[in-house]
Amino acid sequence: MFDTQKVEIDWAGRKLTLETGRVARQADGAVLATYGESTVLATVVSAKEPKPGQDFFPLTVNYQEKAFAAGKIPGGYFKREGRPSEHETLTSRLIDRPIRPLFPEGYKCDTQVIVTTLSHDMENAPDILAMVAASAALTLSGVPFMGPIGGARVGLIDGEFVLNPAVDSMADSKLDLVVAGTQDAVLMVESEAQELDEDTMLAAVMFGHRGFQPVIDAIIRLAERAAKEPRDFTPVDHSAIEAKMLEIAETDLRAAYRITAKQERYAAVDAAKAKVMAAFFPEGGEPAFSKEQVGAVFKDLQAKIVRWNILDTGSRIDGRDLSTVRPIVAEVGILPRAHGSALFTRGETQALVVATLGTGEDEQFVDALEGTFKQHFMLHYNFPPYSVGETGRMGSPGRREIGHGKLAWRAVHPMLPAKHEFPYTIRVVSEITESNGSSSMATVCGSSLALMDAGVPLKAATAGIAMGLIKEGDRFAVLSDILGDEDHLGDMDFKVAGTENGVTSLQMDIKITGITEEIMKVALEQARGGRRHILGEMAKAITGARSELGEHAPRIEVMKIPTDKIREVIGSGGKVIREIVEKTGAKIDIQDDGTVKFASSDLKAIQAAMNWVKGIAAEPEVGAVYEGTVVKVVEFGAFVNFFGSRDGLVHVSQLAPQRVQNVKDVVKEGDKVWVKLMGFDERGKVRLSMKVVDQKTGQEIKGEDKAEG
């Protein structure tokens, strides 16, 4: 019944199995991939014909995790998987980015890749396995795909690169880098690093590239046994259209791309396009080509004009040379009520970034296959349509927003203080108010500024820069701080973020297969110079975290109590802790190890709550002076509440230096008094004294501490 084909290899010390022919046989390509005891199913389906009028390649990649893969039942009311999580969205992008450039130009059939995690052993991360399985399924499908690709994760543990480290060991790694590519070239890099130098980052990329070569060989062996016949696909020859278009519009396009202002340049390009369309589609004439064909060739010609200008003259669209960064203005503290805010402007790209500090109650719960955990740092990126002068749909964040936000998160995260040093929940929101090139890197810069403005003690300021590449034959040019047009028309999008000392995040997407190690090295070195220039411009606004939190930010104090006292502080059904919160106005968060966090914008509220908890959880100290309240007056003295809920007796002989005939002559119920804890009697009863303490100042009167009644 089944024509099953299987390939097994040892990869980084664990068995990798690729199997086809048993599951999902109606898909164009399907591969069941297992690594350790983690298993994913990748399927590929591509339409036989493109939709009429389709002028782009409709590729969709969907990565999905099933709760049963980890032996779990989904949380929530409906108990089934719902909208994709952030991790699923990011993994979908991780797969999409290296495979998209390997489809031939002109292929426009609707294509969908679906990867489903079926089993997770909590040791081998399924994202790398998903990438490998998707590559294998595409290679078997018969769809025109110039693969296969491989992928791997690289860690840096104890100074050594580790290929596909176990999930638990990543906590000890100074690097989390994912690299994907073909046998000959790197196509995609995504990483977070602990201020590593450029040489180390490049070495990690090449280590990963060498590490996944056995996977590519295994996919090829499987394809030799089970691949479907390749589909007939011949790219349309547009040389005749291009030759005619050059005669009509080359001069106009060259002139348009010498205009430095974005909107004016776009208007000139639109005018050139209108001239082309009028020539190809005269009124009353019979067109020789479709509008989709002419539009596609015009887009290609735009790219060639820009690329020729850069390679021939070294001058770019906006007149800059290859390494110059656009003018930068950095501002902080621009929003009066925000805890921290910044406006970062670089050329025609601008990010308004706001940092908000919260308490443990504000942490985000993440329900993942590995288990539920909490995040205390969130970074959200928003890209409204007005930022590019357009109208558009407003709604929940899309893949692009999630991806750009995570890239900035990775860049800033290594520089945050440890949670026990700065016990705040931190949320950063980047609103892109203008965009013409690398708003994600503007978000990195703005986030660093806003966090320092909020008083978050970053280890160092972080900046980011986007690099581009133009390559024709053996000639190439690396571009610093690319414009949006240079991103669309170039061969590489290479984003590097970091501090003065090293790289914290590297993201690379390659659109061609000829990128060499030499080119990547040049790009990294050029990026370092640009990054340091940007850091210098940022330092004009703020050089480090403010010494104090903003006026409107909550204050958090931390204390430790014995774990056996937690129950007393919380009280039956939470009665005690609710009373403390209601009476003092401070928020309280108690953790299982006895750590108690107190939060309020009013320091007096925090102190009152801390004193209350101390009174419950701590033991009074003999010889210490306490402020108390008289709760009961009797003939032989007064009972004073002096330490939380603890009361003690001030004997009539200890009320005052002189002899007291009537207790009520000295104190009455409700009076605030100062008392010293003298000790405990043989029955454990508390003995207090008022006469050895100055009742006005609370200072102990020396020489009186031995007085007894």
Side-chain angles (χ1 to χ4, degrees):
M1 184 174 182
F2 300 117
D3 181 17
T4 304
Q5 298 293 333
K6 185 184 295 187
V7 171
E8 294 182 356
I9 62 169
D10 181 84
W11 188 33
R14 281 145 285 172
K15 185 170 74 172
L16 172 67
T17 303
L18 302 176
E19 176 191 311
T20 189
R22 185 159 60 104
V23 180
R25 291 170 296 163
Q26 294 186 49
D28 291 332
V31 170
L32 198 66
T34 302
Y35 192 42
E37 292 185 345
S38 291
T39 301
V40 304
L41 171 66
T43 62
V44 174
V45 175
S46 186
K48 300 300 185 289
E49 298 290 338
K51 294 178 181 176
Q54 187 89 275
D55 63 350
F56 65 96
F57 174 38
L59 170 66
T60 306
V61 178
N62 296 104
Y63 169 79
Q64 53 187 4
E65 294 181 334
K66 299 299 183 181
F68 60 71
K72 296 173 59 177
I73 295 175
Y77 183 78
F78 292 104
K79 299 301 177 187
R80 69 176 297 164
E81 291 81 4
R83 60 177 295 179
S85 66
E86 181 179 280
H87 173 69
E88 288 171 312
T89 299
L90 292 169
T91 304
S92 297
R93 284 172 54 87
L94 207 64
I95 299 167
D96 184 298
R97 285 159 50 197
I99 66 174
R100 186 175 291 272
L102 297 181
F103 287 88
E105 187 175 350
Y107 186 72
K108 295 182 173 63
C109 295
D110 200 348
T111 303
Q112 186 175 39
V113 179
I114 299 176
V115 188
T116 307
T117 295
L118 304 177
S119 176
H120 186 10
D121 60 8
M122 304 300 159
E123 180 181 352
N124 298 289
D127 53 357
I128 297 299
L129 187 59
M131 189 183 303
V132 169
S135 169
L138 280 165
T139 304
L140 301 183
S141 68
V143 173
F145 174 67
M146 297 178 289
I149 65 162
R153 174 171 274 106
V154 179
L156 181 60
I157 302 174
D158 296 330
E160 299 290 335
F161 291 131
V162 180
L163 187 68
N164 295 339
V167 171
D168 290 344
S169 65
M170 287 305 295
D172 302 319
S173 179
K174 291 187 175 182
L175 174 69
D176 182 0
L177 181 142
V178 175
V179 57
T182 62
Q183 286 180 321
D184 304 318
V186 172
L187 292 174
M188 186 276 296
V189 176
E190 186 77 46
S191 65
E192 178 183 340
Q194 300 285 342
E195 287 188 290
L196 300 179
D197 62 70
E198 282 76 7
D199 288 342
T200 302
M201 294 298 292
L202 181 56
V205 171
M206 302 317 296
F207 175 84
H209 183 255
R210 292 190 298 272
F212 62 63
Q213 294 306 314
V215 175
I216 293 178
D217 293 339
I219 294 173
I220 292 172
R221 291 206 308 273
L222 184 64
E224 288 171 347
R225 303 180 199 169
K228 293 181 179 178
E229 286 297 318
R231 293 190 186 182
D232 291 331
F233 174 74
T234 304
V236 179
D237 182 7
H238 289 148
S239 57
I241 302 177
E242 183 177 300
K244 182 178 179 181
M245 197 176 291
L246 278 170
E247 294 177 6
I248 299 167
E250 180 177 2
T251 302
D252 293 343
L253 279 175
R254 286 187 180 273
Y257 280 108
R258 285 194 291 269
I259 300 173
T260 58
K262 176 182 174 181
Q263 298 300 335
E264 293 178 24
R265 180 169 65 252
Y266 280 12
V269 171
D270 288 343
K273 185 174 183 180
K275 185 177 177 181
V276 166
M277 299 305 279
F280 274 89
F281 302 101
E283 289 188 18
E286 188 67 31
F289 309 101
S290 69
K291 288 188 176 181
E292 288 77 15
Q293 287 177 309
V294 174
V297 174
F298 184 82
K299 191 177 293 185
D300 291 341
L301 185 59
Q302 285 179 261
K304 289 180 178 179
I305 293 291
V306 172
R307 296 162 67 89
W308 294 340
N309 282 344
I310 291 172
L311 290 172
D312 292 342
T313 68
S315 180
R316 295 158 64 180
I317 295 173
D318 56 2
R320 285 181 293 151
D321 61 21
L322 302 182
S323 61
T324 298
V325 177
R326 287 170 291 173
I328 291 171
V329 178
E331 305 168 72
V332 295
I334 63 170
L335 300 179
R337 297 289 297 188
H339 300 164
S341 59
L343 185 67
F344 180 83
T345 308
R346 186 191 61 240
E348 294 176 303
T349 296
Q350 186 180 75
L352 173 63
V353 188
V354 182
T356 306
L357 304 181
T359 66
E361 293 180 356
D362 300 309
E363 290 182 330
Q364 181 174 13
F365 281 84
V366 179
D367 188 17
L369 289 184
E370 295 84 359
T372 301
F373 61 93
K374 293 193 284 188
Q375 281 187 344
H376 78 286
F377 174 50
M378 297 159 279
L379 196 154
H380 298 143
Y381 165 103
N382 297 311
F383 192 89
Y386 68 76
S387 64
V388 288
E390 296 176 357
T391 60
R393 183 186 66 86
M394 294 289 288
S396 57
R399 290 188 173 190
R400 183 178 186 276
E401 284 80 5
I402 293 171
H404 279 29
K406 190 63 175 182
L407 172 58
W409 185 95
R410 289 191 180 103
V412 175
H413 180 246
M415 292 299 100
L416 290 177
K419 190 177 178 182
H420 68 271
E421 297 173 359
F422 192 75
Y424 289 84
T425 298
I426 304 168
R427 182 187 184 223
V428 174
V429 178
S430 174
E431 297 287 338
I432 303 304
T433 50
E434 297 179 24
S435 181
N436 183 12
S438 194
S439 54
S440 63
M441 294 296 96
T443 295
V444 172
C445 301
S447 297
S448 184
L449 292 167
L451 288 167
M452 290 190 290
D453 184 51
V456 179
L458 296 181
K459 299 170 188 174
T462 308
I465 186 169
M467 312 296 293
L469 174 72
I470 304 295
K471 186 175 186 299
E472 296 284 351
D474 295 331
R475 293 199 302 164
F476 72 89
V478 175
L479 316 179
S480 295
D481 180 27
I482 54 175
L483 300 172
D485 286 341
E486 291 169 339
D487 184 4
H488 301 316
L489 307 178
D491 299 318
M492 176 180 74
D493 183 10
F494 193 99
K495 297 185 174 79
V496 188
T499 67
E500 186 76 23
N501 299 321
V503 175
T504 57
S505 184
L506 169 64
Q507 184 186 84
M508 182 172 68
D509 290 296
I510 305 298
K511 303 170 189 175
I512 58 175
T513 57
I515 299 297
T516 64
E517 186 175 355
E518 175 201 357
I519 293 175
M520 286 190 282
K521 187 176 181 65
V522 170
L524 279 167
E525 288 297 320
Q526 195 167 313
R528 178 169 57 182
R531 185 175 79 244
R532 288 179 172 174
H533 167 74
I534 295 169
L535 285 167
E537 295 299 303
M538 290 166 57
K540 295 177 182 179
I542 191 169
T543 56
R546 299 196 187 279
S547 57
E548 295 185 1
L549 300 183
E551 176 187 355
H552 305 290
R555 267 59 176 176
I556 295 180
E557 296 291 339
V558 181
M559 66 179 286
K560 197 94 168 179
I561 63 172
T563 54
D564 58 358
K565 295 287 185 179
I566 294 175
R567 185 185 297 272
E568 294 180 39
V569 174
I570 295 175
S572 178
K575 178 181 178 182
V576 175
I577 196 168
R578 281 200 304 271
E579 183 182 4
I580 300 173
V581 171
E582 289 171 6
K583 294 288 178 65
T584 64
K587 291 183 178 181
I588 302 176
D589 177 36
I590 303 179
Q591 298 175 6
D592 293 341
D593 64 352
T595 300
V596 187
K597 296 178 184 178
F598 304 84
S600 174
S601 56
D602 183 358
L603 288 175
K604 290 182 179 178
I606 291 177
Q607 195 58 52
M610 290 182 72
N611 291 340
W612 197 326
V613 171
K614 283 179 184 177
I616 299 172
E619 295 294 334
E621 182 182 347
V622 174
V625 174
Y626 300 95
E627 185 180 23
T629 303
V630 178
V631 293
K632 188 176 182 181
V633 175
V634 294
E635 289 184 5
F636 52 85
F639 287 95
V640 175
N641 172 238
F642 73 101
F643 193 85
S645 59
R646 190 182 290 266
D647 297 344
L649 174 67
V650 181
H651 190 267
V652 64
S653 63
Q654 295 296 313
L655 285 172
Q658 69 277 8
R659 184 177 179 83
V660 176
Q661 295 292 337
N662 188 345
V663 176
K664 292 185 177 180
D665 291 340
V666 181
V667 294
K668 60 181 181 295
E669 291 183 9
D671 282 354
K672 297 289 185 182
V673 296
W674 292 97
V675 296
K676 179 180 178 180
L677 175 58
M678 306 301 293
F680 304 88
D681 63 19
E682 63 277 3
R683 293 178 297 172
K685 300 290 186 180
V686 177
R687 292 187 293 109
L688 303 174
S689 173
M690 286 173 53
K691 75 177 185 179
V692 298
V693 184
D694 187 322
Q695 293 301 308
K696 291 183 179 180
T697 65
Q699 298 297 314
E700 183 179 352
I701 302 171
K702 298 300 181 183
E704 293 288 342
D705 56 338
K706 293 184 179 180
E708 293 285 350

